[in-house]
Amino acid sequence: MTKIIIGNQKMYMDKEDVLSFVNDIKSYDKGSVPVILCPTFVYLDYYKDVCKVGAQNVSINDNGSYTGEVSASQLSSLGINYCIVGHSERRNFQKETDDEINKKIKKLLEKDIVPILCVGEKKEERDNNLTEIIIKKELEQDLKDITRDNIDKIIIAYEPIWAIGTGLTPTNSEIDETITFIKNYLKTIYNDVNVTVLYGGSVSEKNVDELNSIASVDGYLIGGASTKFASLSYIIDSQK
Ligand code: 13P
């Protein structure tokens, strides 16, 4: 089954790197594989004509006096259709709370931008069998007051924090179990809804063939490997 490929390019590339990357993507045939790339705000415009584009963050506020922030309305006016929210790096470094993440999701939905909501556990939480409890708590708080009409407009990304940028991944059966847990939890809350759930954390050209066999995984949220054309194109080709 073809999986959705989303690249979270974080704060990795300078302009020269971006121009060369965009040039490579432009002349590459993605076939029918859905590819969404999420560069930092300053590069959004460079990607617009070559693929679907997402932002990595959005303000909890509407347009106004908020220096350094970017609103959902501004993203929408640029034609941006996706936005990552609740990434563990923002939860950790910017101390982003579940309440703020919930507000951001609502702002994005108002502007018809698809939120890509990240959830996941720390290593010690997995070791102590707390993964499902942690994820349920995040989903409950982040999706507070989100209605049945809106839930399937949201993409969920399961990203174990300890797998991000480390080269470590859970086993295929651990990934399958957690993704199935997320899907079943949302089905219970939202009357049998089917939500798209991605896996993220050290996905690369080295392990994608093995990960592809997990049927419950609808796609990948890829960090480091999404900034290298050779790695990203290998991952996309593996879906054809
Ligand atoms: P890496 O693929 O670099 O581990 O990052 C994953 C991630 O955080 C995507 O959002």
Side-chain angles (χ1 to χ4, degrees):
M1 195 194 66
T2 303
K3 299 190 195 287
I4 302 171
I5 307 297
I6 305 187
N8 172 11
Q9 299 190 323
K10 306 194 181 185
M11 201 176 73
Y12 278 125
M13 303 147 94
D14 285 334
K15 184 180 168 190
E16 305 302 297
D17 310 317
V18 167
L19 291 180
S20 140
F21 178 87
V22 166
N23 203 36
D24 287 339
I25 287 283
K26 206 183 275 176
S27 50
Y28 162 72
D29 180 9
K30 297 185 283 298
S32 58
V33 182
V35 178
I36 302 157
L37 293 174
C38 308
T40 55
F41 291 129
V42 288
Y43 301 136
L44 285 170
D45 224 37
Y46 291 113
Y47 287 67
K48 252 177 50 192
D49 297 329
V50 292
C51 59
K52 293 182 185 159
V53 190
Q56 296 176 16
N57 184 32
V58 68
S59 171
I60 57 171
N61 297 110
D62 293 329
N63 290 2
S65 310
Y66 302 100
T67 304
E69 293 289 288
V70 175
S71 70
S73 167
Q74 291 174 326
L75 292 177
S76 166
S77 72
L78 276 179
I80 303 302
N81 300 117
Y82 299 85
C83 182
I84 297 169
V85 268
H87 193 282
S88 59
E89 287 155 10
R90 293 199 60 82
R91 292 179 191 258
N92 182 20
F93 300 127
Q94 276 76 34
K95 302 291 171 235
E96 203 163 279
T97 64
D98 289 297
D99 182 53
E100 287 168 326
I101 292 163
N102 178 251
K103 288 196 173 93
K104 290 180 180 196
I105 290 175
K106 289 174 183 163
K107 289 291 176 204
L108 292 169
L109 290 170
E110 274 172 24
K111 295 291 171 194
D112 289 322
I113 298 172
V114 175
I116 303 161
L117 168 64
C118 304
V119 294
E121 82 287 358
K122 300 188 182 105
K123 183 74 174 93
E124 62 269 25
E125 292 165 342
R126 175 160 283 278
D127 291 344
N128 288 309
N129 283 324
L130 295 173
T131 300
E132 293 183 0
I133 292 171
I134 296 295
I135 288 175
K136 180 166 172 276
K137 198 164 125 253
E138 287 181 323
L139 290 174
E140 255 166 24
Q141 295 177 6
D142 300 344
L143 298 175
K144 188 163 171 278
D145 303 326
I146 300 298
T147 60
R148 172 68 181 81
D149 289 349
N150 277 328
I151 188 67
D152 46 7
K153 297 179 189 147
I154 298 174
I155 295 175
I156 310 282
Y158 166 51
E159 296 209 312
I161 296 168
W162 52 275
I164 296 175
T166 57
L168 302 171
T169 53
T171 63
N172 277 15
S173 62
E174 285 170 335
I175 294 174
D176 179 47
E177 255 169 42
T178 308
I179 298 243
T180 305
F181 167 77
I182 294 171
K183 290 186 172 183
N184 288 342
Y185 171 75
L186 294 173
K187 271 192 206 295
T188 324
I189 305 289
Y190 290 101
N191 193 18
D192 248 15
V193 74
N194 277 318
V195 175
T196 300
V197 186
L198 316 177
Y199 168 74
S202 293
V203 177
S204 74
E205 70 284 9
K206 297 192 186 82
N207 58 13
V208 71
D209 292 313
E210 198 189 330
L211 293 168
N212 281 341
S213 65
I214 315 173
S216 57
V217 172
D218 298 314
Y220 304 116
L221 183 55
I222 306 162
S226 76
T227 66
K228 298 176 205 92
F229 175 71
S231 308
L232 183 67
S233 57
Y234 182 99
I235 294 169
I236 298 170
D237 286 341
S238 79
Q239 308 304 320
K240 290 177 183 167

